[in-house]
Amino acid sequence: MIRQQLAEWVGQAARAAREAGALEFETLPEFDIETPRNPQFGDFAANLAMLLARQARRNPREVAEAICQHLPAESNAWVERVEVAGAGFLNFYLKPNWAGEVVRHILEQGARYGSLTLGAGKRVLIEFVSANPTGPLTLGHGRNAAVGDTLARLYEAAGYTVEREFYINDGENSTQIRNFALSVLTRYRQLLGEPAEMPEDGYHGEYVKEIAQSIREQHGDDFAQGDPETVLKRFEQIAKQQMLQEQARDLEDFGVRFDRWLSEQSLYDASKVQKTLNALRERGYAYEHEGALWLKSIAFGDEKDRVLVRANGMPTYLAADVAYHRDKYERGYDLIIDLWGADHHGYVARMKAAMAALGYDPNRLHILIYQLVNLFRGAEPVRMSKRAGEFITLREVMDEIGVDALRFFYLLRSHDSTLDIDIELAKEQSEKNPVFYVQYAHARICSIERTAAERGVAMPDPAATDLSVLTHEAEIALVKKLADLPDEIALAVQHDAPHRLTAYALDVARAFHGFYTECRVLGAEPALQAARLLLTQATRLTLARALSLLGVSAPQRMEREETV
RNA sequence: GCCCCCGUAGCUCAAUGGACAGAGCAGCGGCCUUCUAAGCCGUUGGUUGUGGGUUCGAGUCCCGCCGGGGGCGCCA
């Protein structure tokens, strides 16, 4: 709130200076209100003067002076003084009552604190995870789920209307589904004591045997005979369905829910793939060559053209995916976000090309690529899973280290960086573990509130409490951090960078722990105790909101297990 | 060969183009009769891989090179 307010005043001042003939410029550039690293440069700083210098044909410090002299009078309410400094920064020093205003504002907002109207109800579709129904969710899918879900929560907080969607790669004619069904069928036959050999490129994980086993339990030897093709089709359905249910369960337990599970096959059933291919042909961006149908993606910056329909008449995965994305555009979202693994990055250019070929604005499609996740146990890399063969499953790691720690670790780094997760560290209940650091701050606050209640100290009324007594360095540092939440949410959304929020939560926790050590709450003299109780409450609300956006719980208490 | 990501303190990583590049861990030294020490304070540690360029200002943007990871299918 304070940043927007300052930005508004600075903008007004620049225009007023122009009116008064003190400054020349055509259009007001986008400028920043930033928090200087060094507190001696004020509480906030504006960089407008530097950006305006060229247009105004004046040196930046003169421009800054001109802006400074035209700041609206109402800015006196919060601003104590403004200084022109450095290359032409406008440094704002706020009045002491500002901290109290922030606390009051947070308490008024309550659990909504941080919510924005930035999105103005615009509709966003986030498609993520979208794992193949041929195996359990892996460690990599977990990253996708954590990043996608928190991004969705952030967009919601920013005032967008968000839909979460899981795309099921279940095309009935696809080789992978067929192969998967064949693998399950082979295991099933082996269970019945028949000689059957796994296909060359079959699925070898333990889970395939589990599915075969469960089919046997439900259907006995019903599938021992019968038309092989019919049996295989049946296995496709059953195996796919079971896998999907397992994935949904894993996601549910991981705190991720989807609004829609959209099946690739349904696109074929509704002729959407065919219609999309026709549309591409009509627009002149699909052509026949050597018996196949090609997308002319070169025309839109891709490095080569891509096959849509194979020479054998079967559409490729791309064809269905183009139809799917066309469908997304047709549903009228303002923003479409996809979250893909790094191994799909080569796919971005062709998908954007396809959308451009269909006449849609490719900029409305954000495709985020997240990098690999490596698992360690201490210094030892973990590569194999018992259940899934060469993959480590989300379930295994989630069960071992817990949802809170795992979600937090997934969001600790930018999705652009490869991520190493150390199971030992994530399980460790110690100061090395960042999840506990944040949760502990929340638990400590709850503990203060419990103790206050035990001692009969009532939570003061914010309207009737003088908050101007909050002047300690640690109090001010904490308040500044708390005030940042709305901006952090805005930035996280603008940059599609959910990991910013973990960093923010850590910052708030750090500021609180500092405050906790420096400033005694209960037992301080009454006026100060009241103000600090309210500051504590505002901190709890802020931490709880940040944690909830991360999908991490905010515990009321934390007991440390005896380690010795 | 082409494409994507990364390269910042011993390690893992931050830093919407802004001021003196910051945290955590590891190391060293301190702080529990008072709201939870899963905490706090102090301290050591840097030519931001490298060479150019753009800019009032570059870790950040552009080009080249070096190193690490991933991808380049009528698989999905």
Side-chain angles (χ1 to χ4, degrees), chain A residues 472-485:
Chain A
H472 190 284
E473 200 184 342
E475 291 168 335
I476 299 301
L478 177 56
V479 169
K480 272 192 188 176
K481 268 299 156 207
L482 300 184
D484 278 340
L485 179 64

Side-chain angles (χ1 to χ4, degrees), chain A residues 399-466:
Chain A
D399 285 350
E400 186 166 356
I401 73 177
V403 173
D404 284 347
L406 187 53
R407 282 191 73 133
F408 200 91
F409 273 77
Y410 274 134
L411 289 162
L412 210 43
R413 311 286 175 231
S414 157
H415 60 262
D416 280 337
S417 295
T418 49
L419 179 66
D420 294 342
I421 295 182
D422 177 0
I423 292 187
E424 297 297 324
L425 176 60
K427 278 164 68 178
E428 194 165 320
Q429 302 196 356
S430 80
E431 69 282 358
K432 293 179 203 161
N433 194 328
V435 193
F436 291 119
Y437 186 81
V438 178
Q439 291 184 318
Y440 183 52
H442 187 269
R444 267 184 151 179
I445 295 171
C446 294
S447 175
I448 294 175
E449 292 179 351
R450 269 194 307 272
T451 309
E454 279 165 21
R455 296 184 188 175
V457 178
M459 188 52 76
D461 173 10
T465 306
D466 176 16

Side-chain angles (χ1 to χ4, degrees), chain A residues 229-242:
Chain A
E229 194 54 31
T230 313
V231 168
L232 191 62
K233 281 278 166 220
R234 196 77 185 90
F235 265 67
E236 279 187 11
Q237 283 172 356
I238 298 173
K240 181 174 85 186
Q241 207 49 45
Q242 286 212 11

Side-chain angles (χ1 to χ4, degrees), chain A residues 280-339:
Chain A
L280 283 169
R281 261 190 275 253
E282 280 162 26
R283 299 181 70 91
Y285 294 116
Y287 64 92
E288 311 269 350
H289 176 65
E290 291 179 348
L293 184 71
W294 295 73
L295 172 69
K296 211 168 174 179
S297 44
I298 280 179
F300 299 95
D302 195 4
E303 58 187 21
K304 51 183 165 182
D305 289 346
R306 310 289 174 173
V307 173
L308 290 164
V309 181
R310 303 179 183 95
N312 67 9
M314 272 169 58
T316 59
Y317 175 80
L318 176 65
D321 213 12
V322 170
Y324 175 38
H325 282 80
R326 178 179 189 235
D327 187 61
K328 292 183 183 179
Y329 272 91
E330 288 300 311
R331 283 188 257 155
Y333 299 105
D334 297 285
L335 180 60
I336 299 164
I337 297 176
D338 287 5
L339 203 45

Side-chain angles (χ1 to χ4, degrees), chain A residues 240-289:
Chain A
K240 181 174 85 186
Q241 207 49 45
Q242 286 212 11
M243 220 54 259
L244 219 50
Q245 272 168 17
E246 184 179 321
Q247 291 178 356
R249 227 175 5 249
D250 289 352
L251 288 165
E252 178 88 31
D253 291 347
F254 196 50
V256 179
R257 276 175 181 238
F258 287 88
D259 298 295
R260 193 175 304 105
W261 295 70
L262 199 141
S263 140
E264 177 187 358
Q265 185 56 39
S266 76
L267 298 170
Y268 285 104
D269 295 343
S271 308
K272 285 183 177 171
V273 179
Q274 202 49 53
K275 283 176 188 163
T276 299
L277 294 177
N278 291 342
L280 283 169
R281 261 190 275 253
E282 280 162 26
R283 299 181 70 91
Y285 294 116
Y287 64 92
E288 311 269 350
H289 176 65

